[in-house]
Amino acid sequence: MLNTVASNLILTAEAPDFVRLRLVNNFRQSQNGWSMPDIAACGEGWALFKISVKKNQISDAPIEVLRCFVSYTDHDGVPQKHRQQNLFYSRCLQMRLKPLRKMKGSKTECPN
């Protein structure tokens, strides 16, 4: 497909022992993570996790609860790996993962 900017996407997620993760999406699990659908120019991909944190670990200070990586093959057939994305949580503050705005190898500029 000419508009495909990322294929063979693999999502890898890591969490500390006090965090239980469950991927809600219906992605196929592989040895390296979860296989995600290809992404076309200006398209998007997302994953939804249900996260449970042991109560005794929650405080006012932020704690890392999730670390994600996405690897894929770009439009030119070159393997790529996006930088690590972290999710932190605290009783007072919730931070979200930043969206990945542009895939390497994409020739298309997309609106925010």
Side-chain angles (χ1 to χ4, degrees):
M1 180 187 246
L2 292 174
N3 288 335
T4 300
V5 294
S7 60
N8 303 319
L9 282 92
I10 300 291
L11 169 66
T12 305
E14 302 169 352
D17 291 339
F18 59 85
V19 175
R20 190 174 71 226
L21 285 180
R22 184 175 68 81
L23 182 68
V24 178
N25 304 68
N26 191 21
F27 295 152
R28 188 180 75 244
Q29 190 161 12
S30 68
Q31 205 170 9
N32 301 330
W34 292 276
S35 297
M36 298 176 66
D38 292 350
I39 296 180
C42 297
E44 64 182 31
W46 57 271
L48 178 63
F49 287 96
K50 182 174 182 178
I51 300 174
S52 299
V53 180
K54 288 186 180 176
K55 203 171 196 172
N56 63 347
Q57 296 292 325
I58 298 174
S59 69
D60 292 340
I63 54 172
E64 184 180 57
V65 295
L66 178 63
R67 190 177 299 154
C68 290
F69 306 88
V70 176
S71 59
Y72 61 96
T73 303
D74 70 17
H75 184 64
D76 297 320
V78 179
Q80 302 288 340
K81 187 171 186 176
H82 255 290
R83 69 185 184 281
Q84 174 180 312
Q85 298 287 304
N86 297 352
L87 177 68
F88 294 86
Y89 175 83
S90 79
R91 199 180 353 241
C92 301
L93 174 69
Q94 295 180 37
M95 293 190 256
R96 297 176 2 155
L97 293 172
K98 294 178 184 173
L100 306 174
R101 286 282 173 225
K102 186 175 182 209
M103 304 297 264
K104 285 185 184 173
S106 173
K107 312 266 188 280
T108 307
E109 289 294 327
C110 301
N112 291 336

